[in-house]
Amino acid sequence: MTIGNNKLLVLSEYRKNRNLTQLELAEILGIDQSMISFLENGRRRLDPTKVKQVSLLTGIPKYELRPDLFENDINIGKKNENHTKNS
């Protein structure tokens, strides 16, 4: 996962890999350019109501956009993997 210190590095990487400006990405996602800046520098988190939309538009997994919202899903998956290995 590429999130550190609440910075949404995965979004920054996505944008830079596609040679998009923050403004261009903001227009694609239907959010304000300042929000892209805030997300990338860790001043804000992506609104939970936008996670699915941003995930669908970018292909970035939802749990990478807001891991705090999907902690239980990830932990359940890990437990199931461990249970299968130990069986």
Side-chain angles (χ1 to χ4, degrees):
M1 193 173 335
T2 54
I3 297 175
N5 300 327
N6 292 323
K7 293 181 181 180
L8 198 48
L9 300 178
V10 68
L11 190 62
S12 178
E13 291 168 2
Y14 172 87
R15 180 177 63 77
K16 290 174 183 176
N17 287 338
R18 284 156 182 79
N19 296 315
L20 296 171
T21 65
Q22 288 181 344
L23 180 59
E24 290 168 331
L25 180 58
E27 289 173 352
I28 291 167
L29 300 179
I31 58 180
D32 195 67
Q33 180 273 325
S34 62
M35 179 56 85
I36 298 294
S37 176
F38 291 157
L39 292 169
E40 288 183 0
N41 70 34
R43 292 177 59 197
R44 302 275 179 158
R45 286 198 233 179
L46 186 61
D47 186 296
T49 62
K50 289 282 192 179
V51 172
K52 183 177 181 180
Q53 174 192 3
V54 172
S55 178
L56 289 172
L57 290 171
T58 62
I60 300 170
K62 293 183 285 188
Y63 64 86
E64 287 191 26
L65 294 168
R66 281 294 303 266
D68 58 310
L69 297 176
F70 298 95
E71 275 181 346
N72 290 335
D73 294 343
I74 293 168
N75 290 334
I76 289 170
K78 287 180 182 176
K79 286 179 185 174
N80 288 340
E81 287 175 14
N82 289 337
H83 179 70
T84 303
K85 288 178 186 176
N86 294 329
S87 297

